[in-house]
Amino acid sequence: MKECVKNQKNEKFNTYLQVYKMQIIRSLTYKFDVYGNIIMQSIIMLASAFFWKALYAGNDSVQGVGVSDMMVYTVVSSMISVVLTTNVERRISNSVSKGTIAIDMMRPVDIYKVFFAENLAGVTTLIFQNLLPILLIGSIFIGVPVPASKEAFLLFVLSLFMSFCINWFIAVIFGMFSFKVIEMDALIQVKKHLIRLLSGSIIPVWFFPESIKNILSFLPFVYLYQLPLDIYIGKYDSASLTKGLIMQALWVVVLYLMFRFFKKKAEDKVMIQGG
Amino acid sequence: MENMIEIKNISKSYHVVKKGEGIKGALKGLVKKEVKVIPAVSNLNFNIKKGEIVGFIGPNGAGKSTTIKMMSGILTPSSGEILIGGKNVKTHRKEVVQNIGVVFGQRSQLNWDLRLGESFELLRHIYRIDKTSFDEMIDTMDEILGIKELQDKPVRQMSLGQRVKGDLVAAMLHSPDVLFLDEPTIGLDISSKYALRKFVKEINEKRGTTIILTTHDLGDIEQLCSRLIIINNGKLVEDGNLEEIVDDIAPYKTLVVEYYDEQIPQHEKCEIISTEGNVAKYRFFKKEITAAKLIEDLGKQKAIKDVSIEEASIDDIIRIAYEGR
């Protein structure tokens, strides 16, 4: 008995780190998806770069942003989309509709921490498999995306971290709906396109009418892409920066609280499909 | 002996959205939802002692799996409480599940894309099992199931029998006191079934593990279960050991007697259920008379050529229990 206790003290367990490691091994099992993703992302990136170049023809700057900044914007936006890849809503809805959620829930773990570790592992592999190739392709065909300044880059990293949190909480809250609504595919698509359109990932929000811009500044979407991108290309002053970062942090907190609230509610809603 | 599992008046009902028929019904469902409450389990009460092997049986849809899932902390009961090792499953979920193992015959907890050994290693971290006890357990399991040769095989390449073996080991890695097996023999061939039964017997004898299994396989019941709990429509129907239940449901035996001619004698303590030429079938209650006495009495009246005794088969007993008397 004493022996056993000693052993347990000698070994420190980090369950979620192990989940992370195993998930990396798993995501390396299927290599084919990777190439498809690189090609698709590159096409979107190159197409929007050429689109902006054509629009800028003859103009030095639009809304205070020059064509070279716009090119940086396009490349970095593609890179952010890799970091903000999340499959947690699919992970939950698949487990619920196939009934494997029972397996997740019978273990002495917090399932949401497991989902988070799995998501982080997915992003880690994607950084090597997608982000770096996209950076390379972007640098060759469009231009090296240099940040506006050292300070801008550091603030960008901070803002991107919060974007990651916002993105994950939105996804996990969506995922939790599948405890109530079994088929989630359509909803996930709606969410995906809403984010595409309203976050500034393809069209910067500056090009939207003033009134819509105002409304969007209260919604979480612009804090996924627009804010970190603005910071990266140096399109900020101290007032807009403070306001932006505070709003972003606020959304992290609000979404975290919503997550906690729905998590409690979802626990009683669990239904296991198929026997 | 102490109670390992206490089920106190639990009920569970599901809320199901009622859908109308056809396109009209589907459209109506979009606007107004009718929620139907379906009771899966109602007012279930029973205790299971440490070291018992309990067959938890019932027809399809009786609420077996729901109850197993409530006991293993996956589902929460709508009312009532479940204690495992004295701890409430709902309020102490993490502590309780640390002490139980679950195998679902129809789905695996092993990771499809990983090798079996990697899945075990992940579980070692999830349950915080130190390396020495982990290795010991793998050795023990290897003796019973022969698991080591499978360690390097990816789970997706395994046969069903191999996968179930893997799942059994996975459920035992953290040396749980309670093991739930939900239809573990489903789809298995005879030798895999044999291996599974041997596994159940051995871990019960050697480690004193309390085992609850649901099954539709009568062989499992006959060979393994010291006690049966039969539920139907979410309610407890029978609880006791196999013989008690047999006595309860079918307290009679049938004596078939062949005489030398067609004159059939009678006896006041049994009834003739059929005669065919010189063969008669007598039904008698075990409590009232023994077969030997009956044969002796009948033999005094007429010379007997041959006798045989028919008992209700387990098959019949279970069917009667399911269908209700």
Side-chain angles (χ1 to χ4, degrees):
Chain A
M1 195 64 213
K2 252 182 188 169
E3 189 65 27
C4 186
V5 173
K6 205 179 127 201
N7 263 327
Q8 273 176 348
K9 270 190 184 160
N10 280 350
E11 190 164 3
K12 267 192 96 178
F13 287 101
N14 196 328
T15 309
Y16 303 105
L17 187 67
Q18 192 69 19
V19 171
Y20 174 82
K21 277 192 207 156
M22 288 298 162
Q23 187 65 21
I24 288 184
I25 297 178
R26 285 183 71 190
S27 38
L28 293 174
T29 319
Y30 302 104
K31 295 200 180 84
F32 197 72
D33 296 8
V34 176
Y35 301 113
N37 226 334
I38 295 174
I39 293 167
M40 227 190 62
Q41 272 297 336
S42 303
I43 290 173
I44 294 174
M45 177 174 70
L46 292 172
S48 34
F50 292 132
F51 172 78
W52 291 121
K53 262 192 184 152
L55 278 189
Y56 266 82
N59 291 326
D60 285 342
S61 99
V62 179
Q63 303 267 345
V65 177
V67 69
S68 61
D69 282 344
M70 204 57 224
M71 294 302 109
V72 173
Y73 189 104
T74 311
V75 177
V76 177
S77 172
S78 287
M79 286 160 64
I80 292 180
S81 77
V82 175
V83 177
L84 297 188
T85 308
T86 167
N87 61 352
V88 64
E89 63 264 66
R90 261 229 165 86
R91 167 76 168 82
I92 300 177
S93 74
N94 280 347
S95 309
V96 170
S97 62
K98 284 185 194 148
T100 49
I101 192 85
I103 304 288
D104 294 313
M105 295 183 62
M106 74 188 196
R107 294 172 173 168
V109 288
D110 182 339
I111 54 169
Y112 297 100
K113 284 185 188 159
V114 171
F115 295 154
F116 189 76
E118 286 178 357
N119 202 150
L120 224 49
V123 170
T124 311
T125 40
L126 282 180
I127 284 179
F128 294 98
Q129 293 178 329
N130 269 356
L131 190 137
L132 293 179
I134 286 170
L135 175 62
L136 195 72
I137 293 170
S139 303
I140 294 169
F141 294 101
I142 302 168
V144 183
V146 185
S149 65
K150 213 187 247 173
E151 176 209 62
F153 184 75
L154 291 176
L155 286 166
F156 164 79
V157 173
L158 170 73
S159 177
L160 186 61
F161 172 74
M162 290 199 275
S163 302
F164 185 85
C165 297
I166 292 177
N167 189 54
W168 197 78
F169 286 133
I170 293 178
V172 80
I173 290 168
F174 252 80
M176 279 191 259
F177 279 125
S178 53
F179 287 118
K180 225 174 137 67
V181 191
I182 303 298
E183 272 311 320
M184 281 288 292
D185 278 5
L187 268 176
I188 291 173
Q189 285 298 324
V190 169
K191 184 203 129 207
K192 188 173 140 195
H193 291 295
L194 263 182
I195 288 180
R196 272 229 161 128
L197 202 65
L198 302 179
S199 68
S201 80
I202 294 177
I203 310 161
V205 178
W206 335 304
F207 294 116
F208 289 3
E210 200 64 36
S211 54
I212 292 181
K213 240 193 311 191
N214 272 333
I215 296 170
L216 285 180
S217 74
F218 291 103
L219 296 177
F221 307 112
V222 288
Y223 302 102
L224 293 174
Y225 285 84
Q226 190 68 63
L227 182 70
L229 281 166
D230 280 353
I231 295 173
Y232 196 89
I233 62 170
K235 185 181 160 42
Y236 63 86
D237 53 47
S238 63
S240 74
L241 180 74
T242 326
K243 195 186 155 209
L245 287 177
I246 287 175
M247 275 305 287
Q248 198 180 23
L250 218 61
W251 267 113
V252 174
V253 174
V254 168
L255 287 164
Y256 172 72
L257 293 176
M258 281 170 76
F259 160 70
R260 289 284 300 267
F261 174 76
F262 284 120
K263 184 179 150 184
K264 264 243 138 65
K265 287 205 109 177
E267 273 163 15
D268 300 328
K269 278 277 169 328
V270 176
M271 245 173 88
I272 312 294
Q273 305 293 314
Chain B
M1 269 217 258
E2 59 182 308
N3 282 331
M4 196 70 220
I5 302 176
E6 293 168 57
I7 305 281
K8 292 181 178 168
N9 207 24
I10 55 162
S11 300
K12 174 80 184 174
S13 46
Y14 291 117
H15 294 258
V16 175
V17 178
K18 206 172 132 191
K19 282 197 178 121
E21 270 176 50
I23 295 174
K24 204 180 151 195
L27 288 175
K28 213 175 147 193
L30 288 176
V31 188
K32 200 181 155 201
K33 275 185 192 169
E34 268 183 78
V35 178
K36 220 172 128 185
V37 179
I38 296 176
V41 170
S42 42
N43 303 73
L44 217 51
N45 277 298
F46 58 84
N47 293 330
I48 290 172
K49 287 191 181 71
K50 201 170 181 310
E52 273 190 301
I53 302 183
V54 177
F56 193 59
I57 62 173
N60 294 323
K64 296 183 302 280
S65 289
T66 302
T67 312
I68 293 268
K69 278 166 193 146
M70 285 192 282
M71 289 195 274
S72 48
I74 297 165
L75 295 175
T76 46
S78 311
S79 68
E81 60 175 10
I82 300 171
L83 303 183
I84 291 185
K87 284 184 187 125
N88 190 320
V89 177
K90 194 180 177 183
T91 51
H92 295 80
R93 194 188 77 88
K94 271 194 183 180
E95 286 165 65
V96 171
V97 298
Q98 179 74 39
N99 198 24
I100 63 179
V102 190
V103 174
F104 295 108
Q106 304 196 57
R107 48 180 71 108
S108 177
Q109 71 158 316
L110 305 169
N111 218 314
W112 209 241
D113 303 319
L114 297 179
R115 289 178 293 122
L116 187 61
E118 288 171 332
S119 267
F120 288 166
E121 185 61 19
L122 179 59
L123 287 170
R124 187 171 88 79
H125 281 80
I126 285 177
Y127 288 98
R128 295 158 199 272
I129 309 159
D130 63 274
K131 191 81 183 136
T132 18
S133 15
F134 177 81
D135 289 341
E136 270 170 32
M137 183 53 92
I138 295 278
D139 288 343
T140 321
M141 289 295 129
D142 189 47
E143 278 166 31
I144 308 176
L145 293 169
I147 201 71
K148 278 189 178 160
E149 58 190 39
L150 298 174
Q151 292 247 49
D152 286 328
K153 205 171 177 186
V155 176
R156 61 174 181 277
Q157 290 171 12
M158 287 185 176
S159 71
L160 180 65
Q162 292 173 329
R163 204 217 76 200
V164 171
K165 277 183 188 177
D167 261 310
L168 289 173
V169 177
M172 282 304 294
L173 285 176
H174 53 290
S175 337
D177 288 335
V178 184
L179 185 62
F180 294 104
L181 305 172
D182 192 5
E183 301 190 22
T185 49
I186 200 162
L188 291 186
D189 64 30
I190 295 184
S191 68
S192 301
K193 265 186 196 173
Y194 176 78
L196 184 129
R197 288 174 191 161
K198 187 176 145 219
F199 164 87
V200 170
K201 274 184 198 157
E202 287 199 19
I203 62 156
N204 177 256
E205 277 166 23
K206 287 184 185 159
R207 314 185 65 89
T209 312
T210 311
I211 296 160
I212 292 92
L213 84 155
T214 75
T215 182
H216 290 296
D217 189 312
L218 299 171
D220 295 345
I221 296 169
E222 272 182 295
Q223 294 184 24
L224 296 175
C225 304
S226 54
R227 178 178 163 200
L228 284 186
I229 293 175
I230 306 180
I231 67 166
N232 197 0
N233 297 322
K235 292 193 183 80
L236 196 102
V237 183
E238 295 282 343
D239 182 356
N241 68 32
L242 192 55
E243 286 149 41
E244 278 168 26
I245 291 176
V246 171
D247 280 351
D248 187 29
I249 291 178
Y252 49 80
K253 286 185 181 177
T254 306
L255 180 70
V256 185
V257 186
E258 192 184 347
Y259 297 98
Y260 285 97
D261 55 44
E262 294 189 7
Q263 278 182 308
I264 308 289
Q266 295 206 357
H267 192 280
E268 75 267 19
K269 282 197 174 145
C270 64
E271 56 171 325
I272 297 174
I273 45 174
S274 72
T275 57
E276 209 185 303
N278 54 348
V279 178
K281 285 189 175 180
Y282 299 90
R283 175 188 277 175
F284 64 98
F285 286 85
K286 292 176 216 166
K287 277 184 200 153
E288 291 182 4
I289 191 166
T290 63
K293 178 83 174 92
L294 187 61
I295 295 167
E296 193 193 323
D297 290 355
L298 291 170
K300 278 178 193 159
Q301 297 180 49
K302 281 295 235 169
I304 293 172
K305 190 177 171 190
D306 194 13
V307 289
S308 64
I309 297 167
E310 288 175 0
E311 264 187 280
S313 66
I314 296 187
D315 216 74
D316 296 329
I317 303 288
I318 304 287
R319 189 171 45 78
I320 294 167
Y322 284 6
E323 287 167 359
R325 275 168 285 170

